[in-house]
Protein backbone atom coordinates (compact mmCIF):
# COMPACT_ATOMS: atom_id res chain seq x y z
CA UNK A 1 0.00 0.00 0.00
CA UNK A 2 2.80 2.39 0.84
CA UNK A 3 4.80 2.88 -2.31
CA UNK A 4 1.96 2.78 -4.81
CA UNK A 5 0.32 5.71 -3.01
CA UNK A 6 3.44 7.75 -3.81
CA UNK A 7 3.23 6.72 -7.44
CA UNK A 8 -0.49 7.54 -7.54
CA UNK A 9 0.14 11.09 -6.34
CA UNK A 10 3.01 11.55 -8.77
CA UNK A 11 0.88 10.21 -11.64
CA UNK A 12 -1.97 12.60 -10.80
CA UNK A 13 0.47 15.50 -10.65
CA UNK A 14 2.02 14.69 -14.02
CA UNK A 15 -1.33 14.05 -15.73
CA UNK A 16 -2.79 17.28 -14.41
CA UNK A 17 0.20 19.33 -15.51
CA UNK A 18 0.11 17.79 -19.00
CA UNK A 19 -3.63 18.38 -19.17
CA UNK A 20 -3.03 21.92 -18.05
CA UNK A 21 -0.58 22.50 -20.89
CA UNK A 22 -3.01 21.04 -23.43
CA UNK A 23 -5.90 23.14 -22.16
CA UNK A 24 -3.89 26.38 -22.08
CA UNK A 25 -2.56 25.66 -25.59
CA UNK A 26 -6.12 25.19 -26.89
CA UNK A 27 -7.16 28.50 -25.40
CA UNK A 28 -9.41 27.19 -22.53
CA UNK A 29 -7.47 28.76 -19.67
CA UNK A 30 -10.31 28.66 -17.15
CA UNK A 31 -10.72 24.90 -17.58
CA UNK A 32 -6.98 24.51 -17.14
CA UNK A 33 -7.07 26.13 -13.70
CA UNK A 34 -10.15 24.06 -12.85
CA UNK A 35 -8.37 20.80 -13.63
CA UNK A 36 -5.31 21.86 -11.68
CA UNK A 37 -7.45 22.67 -8.65
CA UNK A 38 -9.39 19.40 -8.97
CA UNK A 39 -6.16 17.40 -9.17
CA UNK A 40 -4.77 19.25 -6.19
CA UNK A 41 -7.85 18.56 -4.11
CA UNK A 42 -7.70 14.85 -4.86
CA UNK A 43 -4.03 14.72 -3.91
CA UNK A 44 -4.62 16.69 -0.71
CA UNK A 45 -7.44 14.34 0.29
CA UNK A 46 -5.10 11.35 -0.06
CA UNK A 47 -2.43 13.21 1.89
CA UNK A 48 -4.81 14.10 4.71
CA UNK A 49 -5.86 10.45 5.00
CA UNK A 50 -2.20 9.43 5.39
CA UNK A 51 -1.40 12.18 7.90
CA UNK A 52 -4.40 11.26 10.07
CA UNK A 53 -3.20 7.66 9.92
CA UNK A 54 0.21 8.87 11.13
CA UNK A 55 -1.31 10.87 13.97
CA UNK A 56 -3.42 7.96 15.23
CA UNK A 57 -0.36 5.68 15.13
CA UNK A 58 1.70 8.16 17.11
CA UNK A 59 -1.12 8.63 19.62
CA UNK A 60 -1.48 4.91 20.17
CA UNK A 61 2.25 4.14 20.38
CA UNK A 62 3.39 7.11 22.48
CA UNK A 63 0.23 7.43 24.54
CA UNK A 64 -0.24 11.10 23.67
CA UNK B 1 14.72 -1.45 3.76
CA UNK B 2 11.23 -0.86 2.38
CA UNK B 3 11.21 2.55 4.02
CA UNK B 4 14.47 3.54 2.35
CA UNK B 5 13.11 2.41 -1.02
CA UNK B 6 9.93 4.36 -0.43
CA UNK B 7 11.80 7.53 0.48
CA UNK B 8 14.11 7.31 -2.54
CA UNK B 9 11.17 6.75 -4.90
CA UNK B 10 9.31 9.66 -3.31
CA UNK B 11 12.34 11.94 -3.66
CA UNK B 12 12.67 11.09 -7.34
CA UNK B 13 8.98 11.78 -7.88
CA UNK B 14 9.18 15.01 -5.90
CA UNK B 15 12.02 16.31 -8.08
CA UNK B 16 10.01 15.56 -11.21
CA UNK B 17 6.91 17.19 -9.78
CA UNK B 18 8.78 20.26 -8.56
CA UNK B 19 9.68 21.00 -12.18
CA UNK B 20 6.09 20.63 -13.39
CA UNK B 21 3.88 21.70 -10.49
CA UNK B 22 5.43 22.73 -7.15
CA UNK B 23 2.29 22.22 -5.03
CA UNK B 24 2.22 18.49 -5.85
CA UNK B 25 5.83 18.18 -4.71
CA UNK B 26 4.83 19.45 -1.28
CA UNK B 27 1.87 17.07 -1.04
CA UNK B 28 4.03 14.16 -2.18
CA UNK B 29 6.88 14.89 0.24
CA UNK B 30 4.50 15.26 3.16
CA UNK B 31 2.76 11.98 2.31
CA UNK B 32 6.07 10.18 1.90
CA UNK B 33 7.32 11.64 5.20
CA UNK B 34 4.16 10.51 6.94
CA UNK B 35 4.33 7.00 5.52
CA UNK B 36 8.01 6.65 6.39
CA UNK B 37 7.38 7.89 9.92
CA UNK B 38 4.51 5.42 10.38
CA UNK B 39 6.81 2.61 9.23
CA UNK B 40 9.59 3.73 11.57
CA UNK B 41 7.29 4.08 14.57
CA UNK B 42 5.76 0.64 14.00
CA UNK B 43 9.30 -0.76 13.81
CA UNK B 44 10.16 1.12 17.01
CA UNK B 45 7.22 -0.19 19.02
CA UNK B 46 8.83 -3.37 20.47
CA UNK B 47 11.87 -1.32 21.50
CA UNK B 48 9.65 1.10 23.39
CA UNK B 49 7.88 -1.63 25.38
CA UNK B 50 11.33 -3.10 26.18
CA UNK B 51 12.56 0.28 27.45
CA UNK B 52 9.38 0.68 29.50
CA UNK B 53 10.00 -2.70 31.20
CA UNK B 54 13.65 -1.84 31.88
CA UNK B 55 12.78 1.50 33.48
CA UNK B 56 10.23 -0.33 35.69
CA UNK B 57 13.06 -2.38 37.17
CA UNK B 58 15.38 0.59 37.60
CA UNK B 59 12.93 2.37 39.94
CA UNK B 60 12.06 5.32 37.65
CA UNK B 61 8.34 5.98 38.26
CA UNK B 62 5.85 4.91 35.54
CA UNK B 63 4.75 8.50 35.02
CA UNK B 64 8.34 9.48 34.15
CA UNK B 65 8.56 6.84 31.43
CA UNK B 66 5.19 8.07 30.12
CA UNK B 67 6.64 11.59 29.93
CA UNK B 68 9.70 10.30 28.07
CA UNK B 69 7.51 8.52 25.51
CA UNK B 70 5.27 11.54 25.05
CA UNK B 71 8.25 13.84 24.51
CA UNK B 72 9.62 11.44 21.88
CA UNK B 73 6.27 11.44 20.08
CA UNK B 74 6.04 15.22 20.10
CA UNK B 75 9.62 15.41 18.87
CA UNK B 76 8.95 13.09 15.93
CA UNK B 77 5.87 14.97 14.77
CA UNK B 78 7.36 18.43 15.23
CA UNK B 79 10.48 17.49 13.30
CA UNK B 80 8.44 16.08 10.41
CA UNK B 81 6.17 19.12 10.23
CA UNK B 82 9.01 21.63 10.57
CA UNK B 83 11.17 20.04 7.89
CA UNK B 84 8.22 19.73 5.50
CA UNK B 85 7.44 23.42 5.93
CA UNK B 86 11.09 24.28 5.35
CA UNK B 87 11.12 22.10 2.20
CA UNK B 88 8.19 24.04 0.84
CA UNK B 89 10.20 27.23 1.35
CA UNK B 90 8.20 28.50 4.32
CA UNK B 91 10.98 28.74 6.91
CA UNK B 92 9.02 31.26 8.98
CA UNK B 93 6.18 28.78 9.46
CA UNK B 94 8.74 26.04 10.11
CA UNK B 95 10.27 27.96 13.01
CA UNK B 96 6.80 28.55 14.48
CA UNK B 97 6.03 24.83 14.29
CA UNK B 98 9.30 23.99 16.04
CA UNK B 99 8.62 26.63 18.69
CA UNK B 100 5.21 25.06 19.31
CA UNK B 101 6.90 21.66 19.65
CA UNK B 102 9.41 22.99 22.18
CA UNK B 103 6.64 24.65 24.22
CA UNK B 104 4.57 21.46 24.33
CA UNK B 105 7.65 19.45 25.38
CA UNK B 106 8.31 21.98 28.13
CA UNK B 107 4.73 21.67 29.34
CA UNK B 108 5.04 17.87 29.33
CA UNK B 109 8.31 17.96 31.29
CA UNK B 110 7.18 20.37 34.03
CA UNK B 111 6.20 17.70 36.63
CA UNK B 112 9.61 16.07 36.21
CA UNK B 113 11.30 19.37 36.97
CA UNK B 114 9.14 19.60 40.10
CA UNK B 115 10.32 16.20 41.27
CA UNK B 116 13.96 17.12 40.66
CA UNK B 117 13.54 20.28 42.74
CA UNK B 118 11.98 18.34 45.59
CA UNK B 119 14.82 15.81 45.56
CA UNK B 120 17.48 18.54 45.50
CA UNK B 121 15.85 20.52 48.29
CA UNK B 122 15.56 17.29 50.30
CA UNK B 123 19.27 16.64 49.87
CA UNK B 124 20.24 20.19 50.78
CA UNK B 125 18.27 20.03 54.01
CA UNK B 126 20.36 17.04 55.21
Amino acid sequence: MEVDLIFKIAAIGIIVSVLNQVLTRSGRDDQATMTTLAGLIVVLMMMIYEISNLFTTVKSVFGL
Amino acid sequence: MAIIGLCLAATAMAVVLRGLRAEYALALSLTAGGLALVGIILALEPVLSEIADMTMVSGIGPENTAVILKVMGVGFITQLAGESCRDAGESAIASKVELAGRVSILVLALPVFGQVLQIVSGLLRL
Side-chain angles (χ1 to χ4, degrees), chain B residues 20-111:
Chain B
L20 298 173
R21 282 253 158 254
E23 56 269 16
Y24 290 100
L26 164 69
L28 188 118
S29 70
L30 206 53
T31 319
L35 281 175
L37 199 55
V38 166
I40 290 167
I41 287 175
L42 292 183
L44 196 66
E45 204 165 354
V47 176
L48 289 184
S49 52
E50 200 59 44
I51 288 175
D53 301 344
M54 273 192 274
T55 46
M56 283 308 167
V57 171
S58 72
I60 303 176
E63 73 282 353
N64 290 348
T65 48
V67 167
I68 293 173
L69 287 184
K70 283 193 172 101
V71 166
M72 273 175 67
V74 170
F76 276 139
I77 295 290
T78 314
Q79 211 254 342
L80 170 74
E83 291 306 323
S84 301
C85 292
R86 198 160 284 122
D87 271 357
E90 298 294 335
S91 53
I93 298 177
S95 60
K96 291 301 157 289
V97 167
E98 275 156 13
L99 185 63
R102 288 191 199 100
V103 164
S104 56
I105 285 178
L106 193 64
V107 166
L108 280 175
L110 270 185

Side-chain angles (χ1 to χ4, degrees), chain A residues 2-3 5-7 9-10 13-14 16-17 20 36 39-40 43 47 50-51 54-55 57-58 61-64, chain B residues 6 10 13 17 20-21 23-24 27-28 30-32 34-35 37-38 41-42 45 48 69-70 72-73 76-77 80:
Chain A
E2 297 196 358
V3 188
L5 188 66
I6 304 282
F7 292 143
I9 292 181
I14 292 169
V16 163
S17 58
N20 203 357
T36 310
L40 197 59
V43 167
M47 184 178 81
E50 273 318 308
I51 298 297
L54 166 72
F55 282 163
T57 312
V58 168
V61 168
F62 292 105
L64 275 174
Chain B
L6 173 115
M13 290 295 158
L17 280 179
L20 298 173
R21 282 253 158 254
E23 56 269 16
Y24 290 100
L28 188 118
L30 206 53
T31 319
L35 281 175
L37 199 55
V38 166
I41 287 175
L42 292 183
E45 204 165 354
L48 289 184
L69 287 184
K70 283 193 172 101
M72 273 175 67
F76 276 139
I77 295 290
L80 170 74

